[in-house]
Amino acid sequence: MAVFTPVSDEDARNLLTDYTLGDFISLRGIAAGIENSNFFLNTTTGEYILTIFEVLTATQLPFYIELMHHLSGRGIPVPQPQTRKDGTRLFNLHGKPATIVTRLPGGYEPEPTVEHCRLTGQTLARAHLAAVDFPIHQPNLRGIDWWKKTAPIVYPYLVADTRAVLQTALAEQVRAVDTADWASLAQGPSHCDLFRDNVLFAGTRECPQMGGFIDFYFAGCDHWLFDVAVSVNDWCIDRNTGDLIPALVNAWLTAYASVRPFTEAERRVWPVMLRAAALRFWISRLYDFHLPRPAQTLKPHDPTHFERVLAARTRGPISPLPGST
């Protein structure tokens, strides 16, 4: 989330005439993230998030908007897209597609505990199962096809040793997707970006309550195990080294498996999938760092973080999935 496209108070007042969300109170830009323009929008009926999509197109967006609508209707705590008077949930603002969703309670936890990990793992499994009958299919747009296209773009910016590590990691993933285990993995709509700052908690640090999952705009149909690996690589690590913290990993995976047990194929490919998740974000952060887009409040992430995470997943050890023998 960031601010690429400015929005005035008058803009907000005008767009609210197409909703039944009450009268305008305030609008404030959100200075975090790298993909869309986001604003806190307060009205006389509640608190909302206004998002302007800077990269995703109007033809791609129904997947994300309707997925949130679908999950919200099944009791999963996610932002609920608001419906306009004409029955639509998307509109055009300053020549770009936009939407308004509910603002969830709570804030993100920068140093998650075992209980935060347990709540998040359990909720992600519920979200996966709730989306099984979602009728729209869209692949993960930042999946392996994107990695193969984007990695060569960043190679010229890397020293030889780093470039070789990236090439080796990508080659491993290209081989992995052609295996029978990979083809058998459970899949469906996935968040694909469930970092700790995309989950909100109410309550207290000692007794957290799930506020909900936010920022679905990297979601896509992918292997559910990839979604799990993305999360574990952020929630359950020592950020200085990238190493996994066993107590957090165990809490996260056990809670997930209590709702959707892991398969034998998932257990076998787990180490490779953890490296896949690290590789995906290393490539995207390299691209955003070396080829940034202009934004009023853009703060590119450090790509070396996921270089460390990938190195840690390569040298191990890696906690097995629950149920492993």
Side-chain angles (χ1 to χ4, degrees), residues 24 26-30 38-42 48-50 103:
F24 174 85
S26 66
L27 184 76
R28 177 167 58 89
I30 304 174
N38 291 271
F39 305 83
F40 291 123
L41 172 63
N42 292 340
Y48 303 91
I49 304 293
L50 164 64
R103 182 178 178 182

Side-chain angles (χ1 to χ4, degrees), residues 51-54 56-58 61 90-93 95-99:
T51 296
I52 300 175
F53 300 97
E54 305 288 348
L56 294 169
T57 67
L61 279 166
L90 282 165
F91 57 91
N92 191 283
L93 184 60
K96 298 173 182 177
T99 195

Side-chain angles (χ1 to χ4, degrees), residues 13 19 34 51 54-55 88 95 134-135 153 157 164 172 191 199-200 224 230 246 258 260 271 296 299 301 303 317 319:
R13 289 190 179 92
Y19 288 86
I34 59 174
T51 296
E54 305 288 348
V55 176
T88 62
F134 182 62
I153 298 173
Y157 298 95
E172 178 190 39
H191 189 284
V199 179
L200 304 181
W224 287 337
V230 168
S258 71
R260 188 192 75 84
Q296 289 186 353
K299 298 178 180 178
H301 294 295
S319 302

Side-chain angles (χ1 to χ4, degrees), residues 6 9 34 72 139 148 157 162 165 201 224 229 245:
D9 289 357
I34 59 174
S72 178
K148 291 190 291 186
Y157 298 95
T162 303
V165 171
F201 294 97
W224 287 337
I245 300 174

Side-chain angles (χ1 to χ4, degrees), residues 63-64 67 124 128 138-143 147 188-195 198 213-231 277 280-281 284:
F63 175 85
Y64 309 100
L67 177 59
L124 183 62
H128 285 163
Q138 180 170 284
N140 175 6
L141 300 180
R142 292 292 180 95
W147 310 347
S190 303
H191 189 284
C192 299
D193 192 36
L194 198 65
F195 283 40
N198 283 334
F213 293 177
I214 63 172
D215 200 359
F216 274 75
Y217 303 117
F218 283 108
C221 293
D222 207 329
H223 300 109
W224 287 337
L225 192 65
F226 176 77
D227 221 5
V228 173
V230 168
S231 304
R280 176 264 187 261
F281 286 95
S284 63

